[in-house]
PDB file of all heavy atoms in Angstrom:
ATOM      1  N   GLU A  22       0.850  -1.195  -0.001  1.00 98.00           N
ATOM      2  CA  GLU A  22      -0.002   0.004   0.000  1.00 98.00           C
ATOM      3  C   GLU A  22       0.883   1.237  -0.002  1.00 98.00           C
ATOM      4  O   GLU A  22       1.781   1.369   0.837  1.00 98.00           O
ATOM      5  CB  GLU A  22      -0.907   0.025   1.237  1.00 98.00           C
ATOM      6  CG  GLU A  22      -1.781   1.270   1.313  1.00 98.00           C
ATOM      7  CD  GLU A  22      -2.545   1.387   2.631  1.00 98.00           C
ATOM      8  OE1 GLU A  22      -2.164   0.699   3.599  1.00 98.00           O
ATOM      9  OE2 GLU A  22      -3.506   2.169   2.685  1.00 98.00           O
ATOM     10  N   LEU A  23       0.615   2.145  -0.932  1.00 98.00           N
ATOM     11  CA  LEU A  23       1.402   3.377  -1.041  1.00 98.00           C
ATOM     12  C   LEU A  23       0.472   4.534  -1.386  1.00 98.00           C
ATOM     13  O   LEU A  23      -0.189   4.526  -2.418  1.00 98.00           O
ATOM     14  CB  LEU A  23       2.486   3.230  -2.125  1.00 98.00           C
ATOM     15  CG  LEU A  23       3.435   4.414  -2.313  1.00 98.00           C
ATOM     16  CD1 LEU A  23       4.187   4.723  -1.030  1.00 98.00           C
ATOM     17  CD2 LEU A  23       4.418   4.133  -3.448  1.00 98.00           C
ATOM     18  N   ASP A  24       0.411   5.511  -0.491  1.00 98.00           N
ATOM     19  CA  ASP A  24      -0.434   6.695  -0.699  1.00 98.00           C
ATOM     20  C   ASP A  24       0.460   7.910  -0.889  1.00 98.00           C
ATOM     21  O   ASP A  24       1.093   8.392   0.065  1.00 98.00           O
ATOM     22  CB  ASP A  24      -1.365   6.890   0.508  1.00 98.00           C
ATOM     23  CG  ASP A  24      -2.393   7.996   0.267  1.00 98.00           C
ATOM     24  OD1 ASP A  24      -2.245   8.748  -0.724  1.00 98.00           O
ATOM     25  OD2 ASP A  24      -3.329   8.129   1.064  1.00 98.00           O
ATOM     26  N   LEU A  25       0.511   8.414  -2.122  1.00 98.00           N
ATOM     27  CA  LEU A  25       1.341   9.584  -2.461  1.00 98.00           C
ATOM     28  C   LEU A  25       0.469  10.763  -2.881  1.00 98.00           C
ATOM     29  O   LEU A  25       0.943  11.677  -3.565  1.00 98.00           O
ATOM     30  CB  LEU A  25       2.305   9.225  -3.592  1.00 98.00           C
ATOM     31  CG  LEU A  25       3.269   8.067  -3.321  1.00 98.00           C
ATOM     32  CD1 LEU A  25       4.147   7.805  -4.530  1.00 98.00           C
ATOM     33  CD2 LEU A  25       4.131   8.352  -2.094  1.00 98.00           C
ATOM     34  N   THR A  26      -0.778  10.770  -2.467  1.00 98.00           N
ATOM     35  CA  THR A  26      -1.708  11.831  -2.855  1.00 98.00           C
ATOM     36  C   THR A  26      -1.131  13.210  -2.567  1.00 98.00           C
ATOM     37  O   THR A  26      -0.589  13.464  -1.484  1.00 98.00           O
ATOM     38  CB  THR A  26      -3.038  11.675  -2.089  1.00 98.00           C
ATOM     39  OG1 THR A  26      -3.561  10.371  -2.329  1.00 98.00           O
ATOM     40  CG2 THR A  26      -4.049  12.726  -2.515  1.00 98.00           C
ATOM     41  N   ASP A  27      -1.267  14.106  -3.552  1.00 97.00           N
ATOM     42  CA  ASP A  27      -0.844  15.507  -3.393  1.00 97.00           C
ATOM     43  C   ASP A  27       0.635  15.624  -3.041  1.00 97.00           C
ATOM     44  O   ASP A  27       1.014  16.260  -2.060  1.00 97.00           O
ATOM     45  CB  ASP A  27      -1.713  16.185  -2.331  1.00 97.00           C
ATOM     46  CG  ASP A  27      -1.495  17.697  -2.284  1.00 97.00           C
ATOM     47  OD1 ASP A  27      -1.013  18.265  -3.280  1.00 97.00           O
ATOM     48  OD2 ASP A  27      -1.796  18.308  -1.230  1.00 97.00           O
ATOM     49  N   ASN A  28       1.475  14.992  -3.850  1.00 97.00           N
ATOM     50  CA  ASN A  28       2.922  15.071  -3.659  1.00 97.00           C
ATOM     51  C   ASN A  28       3.615  15.427  -4.966  1.00 97.00           C
ATOM     52  O   ASN A  28       2.984  15.518  -6.017  1.00 97.00           O
ATOM     53  CB  ASN A  28       3.461  13.742  -3.114  1.00 97.00           C
ATOM     54  CG  ASN A  28       3.366  13.656  -1.591  1.00 97.00           C
ATOM     55  OD1 ASN A  28       4.049  14.389  -0.887  1.00 97.00           O
ATOM     56  ND2 ASN A  28       2.514  12.771  -1.096  1.00 97.00           N
ATOM     57  N   GLU A  29       4.942  15.589  -4.902  1.00 96.00           N
ATOM     58  CA  GLU A  29       5.734  16.011  -6.054  1.00 96.00           C
ATOM     59  C   GLU A  29       6.294  14.848  -6.870  1.00 96.00           C
ATOM     60  O   GLU A  29       7.188  15.032  -7.674  1.00 96.00           O
ATOM     61  CB  GLU A  29       6.883  16.899  -5.586  1.00 96.00           C
ATOM     62  CG  GLU A  29       6.452  18.238  -5.008  1.00 96.00           C
ATOM     63  CD  GLU A  29       5.733  19.100  -6.037  1.00 96.00           C
ATOM     64  OE1 GLU A  29       6.236  19.207  -7.171  1.00 96.00           O
ATOM     65  OE2 GLU A  29       4.672  19.646  -5.714  1.00 96.00           O
ATOM     66  N   VAL A  30       5.796  13.658  -6.637  1.00 97.00           N
ATOM     67  CA  VAL A  30       6.277  12.492  -7.380  1.00 97.00           C
ATOM     68  C   VAL A  30       6.114  12.713  -8.885  1.00 97.00           C
ATOM     69  O   VAL A  30       5.121  13.274  -9.336  1.00 97.00           O
ATOM     70  CB  VAL A  30       5.543  11.204  -6.928  1.00 97.00           C
ATOM     71  CG1 VAL A  30       4.053  11.307  -7.166  1.00 97.00           C
ATOM     72  CG2 VAL A  30       6.126   9.982  -7.601  1.00 97.00           C
ATOM     73  N   ASP A  31       7.111  12.281  -9.650  1.00 97.00           N
ATOM     74  CA  ASP A  31       7.048  12.424 -11.114  1.00 97.00           C
ATOM     75  C   ASP A  31       7.233  11.058 -11.777  1.00 97.00           C
ATOM     76  O   ASP A  31       7.202  10.017 -11.117  1.00 97.00           O
ATOM     77  CB  ASP A  31       8.096  13.428 -11.605  1.00 97.00           C
ATOM     78  CG  ASP A  31       9.519  13.014 -11.244  1.00 97.00           C
ATOM     79  OD1 ASP A  31       9.702  11.870 -10.735  1.00 97.00           O
ATOM     80  OD2 ASP A  31      10.446  13.805 -11.476  1.00 97.00           O
ATOM     81  N   ASP A  32       7.442  11.049 -13.084  1.00 97.00           N
ATOM     82  CA  ASP A  32       7.543   9.798 -13.837  1.00 97.00           C
ATOM     83  C   ASP A  32       8.748   8.964 -13.408  1.00 97.00           C
ATOM     84  O   ASP A  32       8.679   7.726 -13.379  1.00 97.00           O
ATOM     85  CB  ASP A  32       7.625  10.084 -15.335  1.00 97.00           C
ATOM     86  CG  ASP A  32       6.294  10.562 -15.900  1.00 97.00           C
ATOM     87  OD1 ASP A  32       5.259  10.277 -15.267  1.00 97.00           O
ATOM     88  OD2 ASP A  32       6.290  11.210 -16.960  1.00 97.00           O
ATOM     89  N   GLU A  33       9.856   9.612 -13.082  1.00 97.00           N
ATOM     90  CA  GLU A  33      11.025   8.867 -12.622  1.00 97.00           C
ATOM     91  C   GLU A  33      10.739   8.179 -11.292  1.00 97.00           C
ATOM     92  O   GLU A  33      11.188   7.060 -11.046  1.00 97.00           O
ATOM     93  CB  GLU A  33      12.235   9.804 -12.495  1.00 97.00           C
ATOM     94  CG  GLU A  33      12.797  10.275 -13.821  1.00 97.00           C
ATOM     95  CD  GLU A  33      13.194   9.117 -14.720  1.00 97.00           C
ATOM     96  OE1 GLU A  33      13.864   8.185 -14.224  1.00 97.00           O
ATOM     97  OE2 GLU A  33      12.838   9.139 -15.910  1.00 97.00           O
ATOM     98  N   GLY A  34       9.967   8.864 -10.454  1.00 97.00           N
ATOM     99  CA  GLY A  34       9.565   8.257  -9.196  1.00 97.00           C
ATOM    100  C   GLY A  34       8.691   7.038  -9.422  1.00 97.00           C
ATOM    101  O   GLY A  34       8.874   5.992  -8.790  1.00 97.00           O
ATOM    102  N   LEU A  35       7.709   7.149 -10.332  1.00 98.00           N
ATOM    103  CA  LEU A  35       6.839   6.008 -10.631  1.00 98.00           C
ATOM    104  C   LEU A  35       7.624   4.856 -11.266  1.00 98.00           C
ATOM    105  O   LEU A  35       7.356   3.685 -10.987  1.00 98.00           O
ATOM    106  CB  LEU A  35       5.713   6.437 -11.568  1.00 98.00           C
ATOM    107  CG  LEU A  35       4.565   7.266 -10.959  1.00 98.00           C
ATOM    108  CD1 LEU A  35       3.447   7.435 -11.970  1.00 98.00           C
ATOM    109  CD2 LEU A  35       4.034   6.637  -9.689  1.00 98.00           C
ATOM    110  N   LYS A  36       8.572   5.183 -12.109  1.00 97.00           N
ATOM    111  CA  LYS A  36       9.404   4.155 -12.734  1.00 97.00           C
ATOM    112  C   LYS A  36      10.143   3.355 -11.667  1.00 97.00           C
ATOM    113  O   LYS A  36      10.232   2.116 -11.741  1.00 97.00           O
ATOM    114  CB  LYS A  36      10.382   4.804 -13.700  1.00 97.00           C
ATOM    115  CG  LYS A  36      11.260   3.804 -14.444  1.00 97.00           C
ATOM    116  CD  LYS A  36      12.199   4.527 -15.415  1.00 97.00           C
ATOM    117  CE  LYS A  36      13.091   3.537 -16.150  1.00 97.00           C
ATOM    118  NZ  LYS A  36      14.008   4.239 -17.093  1.00 97.00           N
ATOM    119  N   SER A  37      10.640   4.059 -10.670  1.00 97.00           N
ATOM    120  CA  SER A  37      11.341   3.388  -9.575  1.00 97.00           C
ATOM    121  C   SER A  37      10.372   2.599  -8.706  1.00 97.00           C
ATOM    122  O   SER A  37      10.639   1.451  -8.318  1.00 97.00           O
ATOM    123  CB  SER A  37      12.087   4.422  -8.718  1.00 97.00           C
ATOM    124  OG  SER A  37      12.745   3.808  -7.628  1.00 97.00           O
ATOM    125  N   ILE A  38       9.202   3.184  -8.409  1.00 98.00           N
ATOM    126  CA  ILE A  38       8.201   2.527  -7.561  1.00 98.00           C
ATOM    127  C   ILE A  38       7.654   1.269  -8.226  1.00 98.00           C
ATOM    128  O   ILE A  38       7.201   0.343  -7.545  1.00 98.00           O
ATOM    129  CB  ILE A  38       7.067   3.526  -7.230  1.00 98.00           C
ATOM    130  CG1 ILE A  38       7.589   4.600  -6.268  1.00 98.00           C
ATOM    131  CG2 ILE A  38       5.846   2.836  -6.638  1.00 98.00           C
ATOM    132  CD1 ILE A  38       6.669   5.781  -6.078  1.00 98.00           C
ATOM    133  N   SER A  39       7.720   1.198  -9.545  1.00 97.00           N
ATOM    134  CA  SER A  39       7.224   0.010 -10.248  1.00 97.00           C
ATOM    135  C   SER A  39       8.010  -1.243  -9.871  1.00 97.00           C
ATOM    136  O   SER A  39       7.573  -2.364 -10.163  1.00 97.00           O
ATOM    137  CB  SER A  39       7.277   0.228 -11.772  1.00 97.00           C
ATOM    138  OG  SER A  39       8.625   0.308 -12.221  1.00 97.00           O
ATOM    139  N   ARG A  40       9.148  -1.081  -9.202  1.00 96.00           N
ATOM    140  CA  ARG A  40       9.910  -2.236  -8.705  1.00 96.00           C
ATOM    141  C   ARG A  40       9.168  -2.926  -7.562  1.00 96.00           C
ATOM    142  O   ARG A  40       9.455  -4.080  -7.246  1.00 96.00           O
ATOM    143  CB  ARG A  40      11.286  -1.790  -8.210  1.00 96.00           C
ATOM    144  CG  ARG A  40      12.150  -1.095  -9.248  1.00 96.00           C
ATOM    145  CD  ARG A  40      13.476  -0.667  -8.628  1.00 96.00           C
ATOM    146  NE  ARG A  40      14.286   0.127  -9.537  1.00 96.00           N
ATOM    147  CZ  ARG A  40      15.480   0.638  -9.238  1.00 96.00           C
ATOM    148  NH1 ARG A  40      15.979   0.417  -8.030  1.00 96.00           N
ATOM    149  NH2 ARG A  40      16.145   1.347 -10.126  1.00 96.00           N
ATOM    150  N   CYS A  41       8.233  -2.211  -6.940  1.00 96.00           N
ATOM    151  CA  CYS A  41       7.457  -2.785  -5.833  1.00 96.00           C
ATOM    152  C   CYS A  41       6.361  -3.663  -6.429  1.00 96.00           C
ATOM    153  O   CYS A  41       5.198  -3.257  -6.544  1.00 96.00           O
ATOM    154  CB  CYS A  41       6.857  -1.675  -4.970  1.00 96.00           C
ATOM    155  SG  CYS A  41       8.063  -0.484  -4.352  1.00 96.00           S
ATOM    156  N   SER A  42       6.734  -4.857  -6.801  1.00 95.00           N
ATOM    157  CA  SER A  42       5.839  -5.724  -7.563  1.00 95.00           C
ATOM    158  C   SER A  42       4.659  -6.238  -6.737  1.00 95.00           C
ATOM    159  O   SER A  42       3.703  -6.796  -7.301  1.00 95.00           O
ATOM    160  CB  SER A  42       6.627  -6.917  -8.116  1.00 95.00           C
ATOM    161  OG  SER A  42       7.231  -7.646  -7.058  1.00 95.00           O
ATOM    162  N   LYS A  43       4.693  -6.072  -5.414  1.00 96.00           N
ATOM    163  CA  LYS A  43       3.601  -6.548  -4.558  1.00 96.00           C
ATOM    164  C   LYS A  43       2.532  -5.481  -4.327  1.00 96.00           C
ATOM    165  O   LYS A  43       1.567  -5.727  -3.603  1.00 96.00           O
ATOM    166  CB  LYS A  43       4.152  -7.015  -3.210  1.00 96.00           C
ATOM    167  CG  LYS A  43       5.083  -8.220  -3.316  1.00 96.00           C
ATOM    168  CD  LYS A  43       5.515  -8.707  -1.942  1.00 96.00           C
ATOM    169  CE  LYS A  43       6.393  -9.938  -2.056  1.00 96.00           C
ATOM    170  NZ  LYS A  43       6.801 -10.447  -0.720  1.00 96.00           N
ATOM    171  N   LEU A  44       2.683  -4.318  -4.925  1.00 98.00           N
ATOM    172  CA  LEU A  44       1.726  -3.230  -4.717  1.00 98.00           C
ATOM    173  C   LEU A  44       0.302  -3.665  -5.076  1.00 98.00           C
ATOM    174  O   LEU A  44       0.046  -4.172  -6.167  1.00 98.00           O
ATOM    175  CB  LEU A  44       2.093  -2.026  -5.582  1.00 98.00           C
ATOM    176  CG  LEU A  44       2.932  -0.914  -4.945  1.00 98.00           C
ATOM    177  CD1 LEU A  44       3.111   0.226  -5.933  1.00 98.00           C
ATOM    178  CD2 LEU A  44       2.314  -0.392  -3.663  1.00 98.00           C
ATOM    179  N   SER A  45      -0.617  -3.435  -4.130  1.00 98.00           N
ATOM    180  CA  SER A  45      -2.026  -3.699  -4.409  1.00 98.00           C
ATOM    181  C   SER A  45      -2.850  -2.410  -4.367  1.00 98.00           C
ATOM    182  O   SER A  45      -3.900  -2.338  -5.000  1.00 98.00           O
ATOM    183  CB  SER A  45      -2.589  -4.710  -3.407  1.00 98.00           C
ATOM    184  OG  SER A  45      -2.519  -4.199  -2.078  1.00 98.00           O
ATOM    185  N   SER A  46      -2.364  -1.410  -3.629  1.00 98.00           N
ATOM    186  CA  SER A  46      -3.078  -0.131  -3.539  1.00 98.00           C
ATOM    187  C   SER A  46      -2.108   1.011  -3.793  1.00 98.00           C
ATOM    188  O   SER A  46      -1.104   1.137  -3.091  1.00 98.00           O
ATOM    189  CB  SER A  46      -3.726   0.022  -2.149  1.00 98.00           C
ATOM    190  OG  SER A  46      -4.325   1.306  -2.005  1.00 98.00           O
ATOM    191  N   LEU A  47      -2.415   1.845  -4.792  1.00 98.00           N
ATOM    192  CA  LEU A  47      -1.570   2.986  -5.147  1.00 98.00           C
ATOM    193  C   LEU A  47      -2.444   4.217  -5.338  1.00 98.00           C
ATOM    194  O   LEU A  47      -3.328   4.225  -6.200  1.00 98.00           O
ATOM    195  CB  LEU A  47      -0.784   2.682  -6.433  1.00 98.00           C
ATOM    196  CG  LEU A  47       0.141   3.792  -6.948  1.00 98.00           C
ATOM    197  CD1 LEU A  47       1.204   4.146  -5.918  1.00 98.00           C
ATOM    198  CD2 LEU A  47       0.786   3.381  -8.264  1.00 98.00           C
ATOM    199  N   LYS A  48      -2.194   5.233  -4.527  1.00 98.00           N
ATOM    200  CA  LYS A  48      -2.987   6.465  -4.596  1.00 98.00           C
ATOM    201  C   LYS A  48      -2.089   7.609  -5.062  1.00 98.00           C
ATOM    202  O   LYS A  48      -1.114   7.958  -4.398  1.00 98.00           O
ATOM    203  CB  LYS A  48      -3.603   6.775  -3.233  1.00 98.00           C
ATOM    204  CG  LYS A  48      -4.609   5.714  -2.780  1.00 98.00           C
ATOM    205  CD  LYS A  48      -5.286   6.084  -1.475  1.00 98.00           C
ATOM    206  CE  LYS A  48      -6.304   5.023  -1.086  1.00 98.00           C
ATOM    207  NZ  LYS A  48      -7.003   5.358   0.186  1.00 98.00           N
ATOM    208  N   LEU A  49      -2.478   8.187  -6.202  1.00 98.00           N
ATOM    209  CA  LEU A  49      -1.684   9.245  -6.836  1.00 98.00           C
ATOM    210  C   LEU A  49      -2.517  10.486  -7.103  1.00 98.00           C
ATOM    211  O   LEU A  49      -2.174  11.294  -7.961  1.00 98.00           O
ATOM    212  CB  LEU A  49      -1.102   8.727  -8.156  1.00 98.00           C
ATOM    213  CG  LEU A  49      -0.179   7.503  -8.066  1.00 98.00           C
ATOM    214  CD1 LEU A  49       0.101   6.936  -9.451  1.00 98.00           C
ATOM    215  CD2 LEU A  49       1.128   7.876  -7.368  1.00 98.00           C
ATOM    216  N   GLY A  50      -3.615  10.644  -6.376  1.00 97.00           N
ATOM    217  CA  GLY A  50      -4.483  11.793  -6.588  1.00 97.00           C
ATOM    218  C   GLY A  50      -3.751  13.118  -6.453  1.00 97.00           C
ATOM    219  O   GLY A  50      -2.916  13.302  -5.567  1.00 97.00           O
ATOM    220  N   ILE A  51      -4.042  14.057  -7.350  1.00 97.00           N
ATOM    221  CA  ILE A  51      -3.467  15.409  -7.355  1.00 97.00           C
ATOM    222  C   ILE A  51      -1.946  15.379  -7.465  1.00 97.00           C
ATOM    223  O   ILE A  51      -1.251  16.276  -6.981  1.00 97.00           O
ATOM    224  CB  ILE A  51      -3.895  16.226  -6.115  1.00 97.00           C
ATOM    225  CG1 ILE A  51      -5.302  15.868  -5.674  1.00 97.00           C
ATOM    226  CG2 ILE A  51      -3.861  17.739  -6.418  1.00 97.00           C
ATOM    227  CD1 ILE A  51      -5.788  16.610  -4.446  1.00 97.00           C
ATOM    228  N   CYS A  52      -1.396  14.335  -8.078  1.00 97.00           N
ATOM    229  CA  CYS A  52       0.040  14.299  -8.389  1.00 97.00           C
ATOM    230  C   CYS A  52       0.189  14.838  -9.812  1.00 97.00           C
ATOM    231  O   CYS A  52       0.059  14.090 -10.794  1.00 97.00           O
ATOM    232  CB  CYS A  52       0.584  12.882  -8.267  1.00 97.00           C
ATOM    233  SG  CYS A  52       0.611  12.254  -6.567  1.00 97.00           S
ATOM    234  N   LEU A  53       0.457  16.118  -9.927  1.00 96.00           N
ATOM    235  CA  LEU A  53       0.373  16.811 -11.205  1.00 96.00           C
ATOM    236  C   LEU A  53       1.589  16.607 -12.092  1.00 96.00           C
ATOM    237  O   LEU A  53       1.593  17.049 -13.256  1.00 96.00           O
ATOM    238  CB  LEU A  53       0.165  18.311 -10.951  1.00 96.00           C
ATOM    239  CG  LEU A  53      -1.040  18.669 -10.063  1.00 96.00           C
ATOM    240  CD1 LEU A  53      -1.164  20.173  -9.920  1.00 96.00           C
ATOM    241  CD2 LEU A  53      -2.330  18.075 -10.634  1.00 96.00           C
ATOM    242  N   ASN A  54       2.635  15.959 -11.574  1.00 97.00           N
ATOM    243  CA  ASN A  54       3.864  15.783 -12.353  1.00 97.00           C
ATOM    244  C   ASN A  54       3.943  14.452 -13.072  1.00 97.00           C
ATOM    245  O   ASN A  54       4.891  14.199 -13.818  1.00 97.00           O
ATOM    246  CB  ASN A  54       5.091  15.922 -11.440  1.00 97.00           C
ATOM    247  CG  ASN A  54       5.173  17.291 -10.796  1.00 97.00           C
ATOM    248  OD1 ASN A  54       4.895  18.303 -11.426  1.00 97.00           O
ATOM    249  ND2 ASN A  54       5.546  17.330  -9.519  1.00 97.00           N
ATOM    250  N   ILE A  55       2.972  13.565 -12.852  1.00 97.00           N
ATOM    251  CA  ILE A  55       3.043  12.256 -13.488  1.00 97.00           C
ATOM    252  C   ILE A  55       2.314  12.279 -14.830  1.00 97.00           C
ATOM    253  O   ILE A  55       1.354  13.017 -15.025  1.00 97.00           O
ATOM    254  CB  ILE A  55       2.454  11.160 -12.584  1.00 97.00           C
ATOM    255  CG1 ILE A  55       0.961  11.373 -12.339  1.00 97.00           C
ATOM    256  CG2 ILE A  55       3.192  11.088 -11.267  1.00 97.00           C
ATOM    257  CD1 ILE A  55       0.293  10.215 -11.623  1.00 97.00           C
TER     258      ILE A  55
END
């Protein structure tokens, strides 16, 4: 579970987070850089 709502995460961050292959819940609301 990863909640990044309203943060500065960008595409490079998501590319890195994609290594977390067990992710079942991902919240990216109001992440305007992705």
Side-chain angles (χ1 to χ4, degrees):
E22 178 188 18
L23 183 59
D24 187 348
L25 301 179
T26 304
D27 190 21
N28 274 293
E29 293 298 313
V30 60
D31 60 8
D32 288 338
E33 289 303 313
L35 285 188
K36 182 179 179 180
S37 179
I38 289 168
S39 67
R40 302 178 186 179
C41 306
S42 59
K43 296 184 178 181
L44 265 183
S45 62
S46 175
L47 179 60
K48 296 184 178 181
L49 300 169
I51 326 179
C52 292
L53 305 182
N54 299 320
I55 64 172

